[in-house]
Amino acid sequence: MGSVIDVNVPQQSYQIVIEAAGLDGLGERMRKLNLRNKVLVVSNREIFRHYGERAIASISEAGFDVFDVKDYIIEAGEEYKTLATVQEIYDAAENHELERSSTLVALGGGVIGDMTGFAAATWLRGINFVQVPTTLLAMVDASIGGKTGVNHPRGKNLIGAFYQPKLVLIDPQVLDTLPVREFRAGIAEVIKYGIIWDAQLFKQMEQSDRLDELRYLNPDLLQTILTRSCQAKADVVSKDEKESGLRAILNYGHTIGHAVESVTEYRSVNHGEAVAIGMVAAGKIAVELEKWQQEDAQRQDALIQKAGLPTQLPPGLDNQKIITALQTDKKVEAGKVRFILPTEIGAV
């Protein structure tokens, strides 16, 4: 059982393919897109150990001249999402003489996808790019919509470009090797979609006994989570590719979330955990401003707790540092921090 979702954007429309064992058909799907010969796969050590050979075999069997990254393994983690790491991808591209018709394949989580996409957007002023996300967070969020980039010491994703992939291939089976903490981080983004766009998705998650580990999700719920989350992201991005309006709603929970990540130097709190904390905070603001019902905020917070995610700041964090970090948020306008706030489950 699989599904295909169309992402229709002015820069370049493409498909999100959700298919069990889809990794083995990666090369064939790339060939049907008329991509040319040279392909460089960018990954990290852990993901490459599990899935690198399969991806490379599939691309090679489809007739591509494929280079793996054994000599250019990129470290996963927000602290490595820098221009210095992108330079390593540029070095690999130059060493393998990648041309404008060549393709970079991102095999990994959101950090790998963001950096590989930024490298693709800027090498030779733009080469082909394929996303093969291997974490739940990357599958439902980071791999879709064409946001690429790296962090600056003073803030997250301050350097980047909008650059759409040719294909997003999601193989749910690769989640079997995903650490529990990373799975929960992805569920945070799924809860976000329930709050901002899809009340039905939110209700289906509420009906599940547990959300904190993949093994407690039945296959139908996992397929629903992947399909409805990807569809929500595709719907929003198709209406607003470059965040001139509607797309900002995808940042629900991210305003304080990004500040928490930045202040903790991307080490002690991962992205999903930070977004969970940010959603609880945004919910409280919405209730205090009488834009949202207390009962809905409680439903949100209960679902976040059911997913094993934090609902408050880690002890010892300096609130003033978080407030200072908020000023570098990309949604700041005329010096004012703008928050995305819910009005009901399914609308912000």
Side-chain angles (χ1 to χ4, degrees), residues 26-201:
L26 171 62
E28 187 59 27
R29 288 192 178 277
M30 288 172 62
R31 193 175 64 77
K32 286 178 179 173
L33 291 170
N34 294 319
L35 299 179
R36 299 287 178 82
N37 199 22
K38 289 185 178 181
V39 176
L40 177 68
V41 177
V42 180
S43 190
N44 67 62
R45 190 170 283 103
E46 189 65 19
I47 294 302
F48 194 85
R49 184 168 65 83
H50 288 299
Y51 305 111
E53 297 301 340
R54 271 177 67 193
I56 283 167
S58 175
I59 297 167
S60 181
E61 283 163 16
F64 292 95
D65 187 4
V66 60
F67 311 105
D68 67 50
V69 288
K70 284 178 181 161
D71 299 325
Y72 305 99
I73 286 287
I74 303 300
E75 293 295 338
E78 285 286 342
E79 66 267 37
Y80 298 107
K81 199 168 122 182
T82 63
L83 287 172
T85 307
V86 172
Q87 179 68 47
E88 295 178 35
I89 303 175
Y90 293 150
D91 291 345
E94 203 277 329
N95 288 339
H96 292 302
E97 299 178 344
L98 261 57
E99 300 155 1
R100 194 165 275 175
S101 60
S102 302
T103 303
L104 290 182
V105 173
L107 177 68
V111 170
I112 294 293
D114 280 3
M115 288 195 291
T116 306
F118 184 65
T122 48
W123 186 251
L124 303 180
R125 296 194 177 91
I127 65 174
N128 298 317
F129 167 48
V130 169
Q131 284 268 25
V132 187
T134 59
T135 66
L136 180 59
L137 199 150
M139 288 176 182
V140 300
D141 185 51
S143 67
I144 306 162
K147 274 189 177 181
T148 72
V150 295
N151 299 331
H152 183 274
R154 292 190 59 189
K156 186 166 175 172
N157 295 330
L158 294 181
I159 305 159
F162 286 97
Y163 196 69
Q164 303 294 344
K166 293 284 187 183
L167 167 72
V168 178
L169 178 65
I170 295 172
D171 183 346
Q173 292 179 353
V174 306
L175 293 175
D176 291 342
T177 55
L178 186 67
V180 168
R181 189 178 176 194
E182 292 300 320
F183 174 76
R184 292 173 182 172
I187 290 290
E189 292 285 356
V190 179
I191 293 170
K192 176 194 79 176
Y193 289 123
I195 297 287
I196 69 168
W197 198 255
D198 191 340
Q200 184 60 37
L201 173 61

